[in-house]
Amino acid sequence: MRKTIPISIKRTVPFTDIEPLAVTLTPLVDASVERFYWFYPWLASEYPEVTCTKKYFFTYSTDHAVAGVAMIAWGEGDNLDLSDFVELGIITTQGAPETAYIIRQEGTERPINMFFHKANGDFGIQNTHMHSTKGGLLHDTDWREEGPVLSQGGLIEGDQHLGYFMPYRMADGTYKGMGFKQQSILQDNVPLYQYYTTAFDLTNWDRAGFLNVRDPNSTETFFSYTFGRFFKYEGSWWWIGTLNPTEPPGLDRKKLAVCRATEDLEILEQVLTLNGDVLSNVWSVYIKGDTAHLYMHDDVNFLYYTTWDLLQLKNYL
């Protein structure tokens, strides 16, 4: 049986210090990968068609890994700090896949939908695909390829990288998603993000405009929309996520920030940098009650975990 991604979990105390590391767990399996990427928790009760024996299941992938190593995998556990995390298996290796994101669409024959992009792509670029299933064990189920859902009519001028897609279900029942159009505008290393809308058909999204990634309070960083999370708290909309440097680029030069946002999923401005002057890699965010659970991936196979108390947002209302 092919082995999945090795995960070393590192817990940080206190939050403002990425170092020192309090606990290092032994890798769960003995294998080697180029990079560990996009770790996301999912509350199992919100996905009843998925066979899961724990409170949460988790998806994650490699990043720019070579064929034979690249994969999307999953695990389960009752605790968001991953103290009882167990790997379950490989979901897909098709097209050197990366960045899995799960959406459940109630009332459909195949309600579990997984969006991801393929590193070796189609049309010569990294492109977002969707797989759907009726449910079951995610590594042993009837996934169906639904195609490159952001470019059903083919590519248009300027399409360079249609990956890093993240969809949200809006209050009116429609869906809004966001992802890359261009990985970078070369003169200042800032990506071009576009957003998409669909009334119901998750296999066919309409291009609906572009997102402002510029930080009005800094020329040194930009908002990485899909490396974070929008959420509503105390009646206001927020985004917690990754700020990338404009210059110079680098995997280990990112910040984790709290930003004001709108209900239409636009980032307005940064109000707080959580990791101070300690630069890091990309972050994933999961909101539960008054706590933001934060997962940071470094440039090898380590996963860092910590939390932040959302009650502190009251200072910025």
Side-chain angles (χ1 to χ4, degrees):
M1 178 178 178
R2 183 176 171 184
K3 295 178 179 178
T4 55
I5 304 169
I7 302 175
S8 285
I9 304 163
K10 298 185 176 184
R11 297 176 178 81
T12 64
V13 287
F15 176 78
T16 52
D17 295 328
I18 298 303
E19 307 285 354
L21 302 174
V23 178
T24 301
L25 301 185
T26 304
L28 299 175
V29 295
D30 181 17
S32 177
V33 297
E34 296 180 12
R35 194 177 301 141
F36 173 76
Y37 212 40
W38 265 52
F39 185 93
Y40 272 98
W42 309 97
L43 182 62
S45 61
E46 295 181 351
Y47 302 84
E49 295 84 5
V50 175
T51 301
C52 178
T53 64
K54 303 294 185 179
K55 186 173 182 178
Y56 301 97
F57 65 91
F58 307 88
T59 55
Y60 41 98
S61 74
T62 49
D63 178 33
H64 290 184
V66 298
V69 175
M71 68 182 77
I72 293 170
W74 76 310
E76 64 178 4
D78 285 324
N79 301 309
L80 289 169
D81 67 1
L82 308 184
S83 55
D84 63 339
F85 174 85
V86 176
E87 287 185 318
L88 294 176
I90 298 169
I91 298 174
T92 183
T93 60
Q94 185 185 111
E98 302 173 2
T99 67
Y101 199 84
I102 307 289
I103 284 282
R104 178 178 183 264
Q105 192 174 34
E106 188 174 3
T108 61
E109 180 183 0
R110 306 176 72 83
I112 304 301
N113 305 281
M114 180 177 70
F115 296 87
F116 64 97
H117 71 254
K118 297 183 177 183
N120 59 14
D122 45 22
F123 303 119
I125 67 169
Q126 297 185 64
N127 206 342
T128 293
H129 284 242
M130 189 184 96
H131 283 184
S132 67
T133 179
K134 295 178 180 178
L137 291 167
L138 297 185
H139 65 283
D140 186 23
T141 190
D142 63 332
W143 289 110
R144 184 172 74 192
E145 168 70 72
E146 303 290 356
V149 295
L150 305 184
S151 57
Q152 292 282 38
L155 300 184
I156 64 174
E157 184 178 358
D159 284 347
Q160 179 199 77
H161 186 320
L162 300 184
Y164 297 104
F165 183 68
M166 185 176 290
Y168 289 83
R169 189 174 189 273
M170 306 301 283
D172 63 359
T174 62
Y175 293 85
K176 183 174 183 176
M178 55 199 69
F180 278 2
K181 177 180 175 66
Q182 295 178 6
Q183 187 168 4
S184 64
I185 302 172
L186 297 180
Q187 64 266 28
D188 57 1
N189 192 46
V190 175
L192 186 59
Y193 269 97
Q194 60 187 347
Y195 69 91
Y196 305 81
T197 59
T198 183
F200 191 73
D201 182 5
L202 297 182
T203 68
N204 193 4
W205 295 74
D206 296 322
R207 303 177 192 241
F210 295 97
L211 294 160
N212 175 35
V213 303
R214 304 281 183 170
D215 183 347
N217 298 323
S218 173
T219 60
E220 298 179 353
T221 56
F222 63 86
F223 306 128
S224 296
Y225 268 77
T226 55
F227 292 86
R229 174 77 66 178
F230 288 95
F231 62 98
K232 189 176 184 181
Y233 186 77
E234 292 292 324
S236 297
W237 280 88
W238 307 90
W239 179 84
I240 296 179
T242 307
L243 297 186
N244 276 41
T246 51
E247 293 292 345
L251 290 171
D252 57 350
R253 298 183 56 81
K254 306 179 193 301
K255 295 183 178 181
L256 179 66
V258 180
C259 299
R260 300 186 197 278
T262 72
E263 62 181 349
D264 290 328
L265 309 184
E266 296 267 2
I267 301 172
L268 297 177
E269 63 176 348
Q270 179 188 167
V271 299
L272 183 65
T273 301
L274 295 184
N275 56 327
D277 295 329
V278 181
L279 300 178
S280 65
N281 210 306
V282 296
W283 295 82
S284 300
V285 181
Y286 182 82
I287 305 297
K288 180 186 177 186
D290 293 322
T291 303
H293 297 265
L294 306 163
Y295 304 88
M296 191 266 284
H297 327 118
D298 70 6
D299 59 354
V300 285
N301 61 345
F302 292 119
L303 180 67
Y304 295 75
Y305 167 82
T306 192
T307 61
W308 188 67
D309 186 356
L310 295 178
L311 291 173
Q312 297 178 68
L313 288 175
K314 294 182 178 181
N315 296 324
Y316 301 93
L317 292 175

